Amino acid sequence: MTCSIGAITHDDNNVVVDAEKCNYCMECIPVCPTGSIDEWRVVNTAYTLEDQFGFEELPEQQDIDTGSSDEGGMDAAIAAMLDEAHSGAGGKARAPVSAAKPETNLYTAAKPVVATIQGSYRLTGEDSDSDVRHIILNFEGQPFPVLEGQNIGIIPPGSDDEGKPHLPRLYSVSSPRDGERPNYHNVSLTVKREAGGVCSNYLCDLKMGDKVNVTGPFGTTFLIPDDPEARLLMICTGTGSAPMRAFTMRRQRTVGAKSGGMTMFFGARTPDSLPYFGPLSKVPESLLKQHLVYSRVDGQPKEYVQDRMMQEEDEVAEILADPNTHIYICGLRGMEDGVERAFTNIAESIGQQWAALRDAMRDEGRYHVETY
Ligand code: A2P
């Protein structure tokens, strides 16, 4: 019923998708009552409808890679990078119970997918000392199923000091699963130019039409719940806003202001250096309550996200006490301690022990940290 182009059919056993017709809009996934469409395989040749109707079980993912001997090592390196980024959760992170099932490792360093730069826009003011860009990648019909909160790898050209090809660098996607605009299936990144950074300078210098080697997608836990009642508390600094933008757009497109609600604490040096400052001002408070916090505004005291959380203690406490709340923290590693301290104080004010609450939330897939 959801599929406007009639790509989905079923018999008594199987719900199947006609790959000839499907445009990868993914609209069928959140509404599929059985979850059966929330499964796909990347193949060289699509399964026919007859094949699919015949399935008693899903076939294994075929190996579509060329098979580099280094690939296992590469996958392990990416997994280790992500584990490190998620370590601030204080234990093994889990996906939200209602999150869609993510695809991972479809493209590897040995067999990356080539994307084309569709746009690159500076997000921060020309006078700001921080050059953050919104970069849009177009996969031009090649499958790249990615969920909000996942990461992709970018392989900078050239080689490292030892003459080996560069390892992919991980970036969090800042677009929702169906693309910058619904059904465009492009993917955006939020990239800060770092002094001497091999990949950030490469990406920030790319022009429209340039090609880029992409791996991934990666990440199975830092995902948005599909449950519209879930309440999101998002805490971020700088480019840590990337997944929060994706979450907000996803919510805006699917459930709108009727959702469980979203609250964001977002820290930057100045308004001019806060990525997405302009677009954020147009997001209604009924969808996203925003606390924008600045550390380097002339004549104002330095303020960090954790300071504002403490100032808004009652609001945060009420959110913490809600069993529908999911917490997402993304940005500078340095923020972890301060945010933990704020949560400890706020939890105490409602008679809770933060460490216990955090561990329970994490085990229930409701506490997510990605820092670097
Ligand atoms: P600061 O002015 O101290 O650098 P960036 O622009 O480097 O991406 O940083 C984003 C924001 O995060 C800045 O406002 C920065 O403030 C702030 N920040 C830096 N360290 C911390 C920290 N330990 N906790 C919270 N915010 C921090």
Side-chain angles (χ1 to χ4, degrees):
M1 281 196 292
T2 306
C3 185
S4 56
I5 53 170
I8 299 173
T9 46
H10 66 93
D11 63 9
D12 287 345
N13 288 323
N14 292 341
V15 180
V16 303
V17 177
D18 186 341
E20 296 276 316
K21 292 186 186 160
C22 176
N23 62 3
Y24 307 102
C25 75
M26 310 279 171
E27 291 297 327
C28 54
I29 289 172
V31 295
C32 177
T34 63
S36 51
I37 301 175
D38 186 7
E39 286 282 357
W40 57 78
R41 298 290 180 260
V42 173
V43 290
N44 291 318
T45 309
Y47 292 109
T48 63
L49 289 181
E50 200 183 2
D51 287 337
Q52 296 178 61
F53 280 128
F55 293 157
E56 293 296 330
E57 284 180 8
L58 278 174
E60 292 290 310
Q61 170 65 57
Q62 296 169 1
D63 185 4
I64 59 159
D65 297 320
T66 50
S68 150
S69 57
D70 197 29
E71 218 156 275
M74 189 70 78
D75 288 350
I78 296 278
M81 279 188 237
L82 267 182
D83 280 353
E84 173 68 16
H86 294 168
S87 60
K92 190 171 165 30
R94 286 176 207 269
V97 175
S98 68
K101 191 163 169 281
E103 287 293 322
T104 56
N105 297 306
L106 296 181
Y107 300 96
T108 62
K111 184 129 191 249
V113 60
V114 179
T116 305
I117 301 295
Q118 203 174 13
S120 174
Y121 311 95
R122 185 164 165 140
L123 292 170
T124 45
E126 288 301 328
D127 295 336
S128 162
D129 54 357
S130 137
D131 178 4
V132 180
R133 300 192 76 87
H134 184 68
I135 299 174
I136 305 169
L137 308 178
N138 185 351
F139 291 92
E140 295 178 330
Q142 303 165 99
F144 199 87
V146 66
L147 295 176
E148 306 80 12
Q150 281 194 293
N151 298 270
I152 67 172
I154 300 289
I155 311 178
S159 46
D160 63 17
D161 293 344
E162 292 170 17
K164 292 194 193 138
H166 285 298
L167 279 175
R169 308 299 205 269
L170 287 181
Y171 291 90
S172 186
V173 305
S174 51
S175 47
R177 65 190 73 180
D178 51 347
E180 280 288 278
R181 287 208 218 156
N183 303 337
Y184 274 54
H185 295 292
N186 43 14
V187 167
S188 71
L189 305 177
T190 311
V191 182
K192 182 178 179 190
R193 192 188 287 277
E194 301 286 355
V198 171
C199 200
S200 68
N201 281 287
Y202 162 65
L203 277 173
C204 289
D205 289 338
L206 286 171
K207 303 274 174 287
M208 218 151 106
D210 285 348
K211 306 286 180 195
V212 57
N213 284 324
V214 179
T215 67
F218 305 109
T220 55
T221 61
F222 197 107
L223 301 171
I224 185 172
D226 267 348
D227 176 4
E229 298 302 320
R231 193 167 176 188
L232 311 189
L233 174 59
M234 307 185 285
I235 301 158
C236 60
T237 58
T239 53
S241 54
M244 313 315 187
R245 176 183 186 266
F247 289 175
T248 305
M249 289 176 75
R250 172 72 186 160
R251 274 279 168 105
Q252 205 159 19
R253 279 183 201 172
T254 51
V255 283
K258 285 187 305 236
S259 74
M262 290 188 284
T263 303
M264 178 168 73
F265 289 82
F266 186 174
R269 296 174 190 188
T270 60
D272 209 27
S273 66
L274 185 131
Y276 307 112
F277 183 80
L280 270 172
S281 66
K282 300 194 189 84
V283 178
E285 188 171 322
S286 53
L287 180 77
L288 175 70
K289 178 140 192 226
Q290 303 174 35
H291 296 280
L292 306 182
V293 178
Y294 305 112
S295 58
R296 301 191 200 181
V297 172
D298 287 343
Q300 280 186 23
K302 192 180 188 76
E303 191 179 15
Y304 282 168
V305 281
Q306 56 269 35
D307 303 326
R308 183 66 70 88
M309 288 167 65
M310 287 300 301
Q311 208 178 306
E312 301 293 343
E313 177 175 347
D314 291 347
E315 184 189 354
V316 179
E318 190 267 319
I319 297 173
L320 271 190
D322 184 340
N324 282 328
T325 292
H326 290 60
I327 298 176
Y328 296 86
I329 299 167
C330 190
L332 297 172
R333 171 129 318 155
M335 76 197 276
E336 278 176 15
D337 281 351
V339 170
E340 280 272 308
R341 267 198 305 280
F343 274 135
T344 304
N345 288 331
I346 296 168
E348 241 166 45
S349 76
I350 48 169
Q352 297 251 22
Q353 267 234 327
W354 169 242
L357 179 60
R358 177 200 64 194
D359 289 353
M361 289 185 76
R362 188 190 59 237
D363 292 349
E364 291 164 15
R366 298 195 293 122
Y367 185 68
H368 305 273
V369 179
E370 188 166 292
T371 53
Y372 34 81

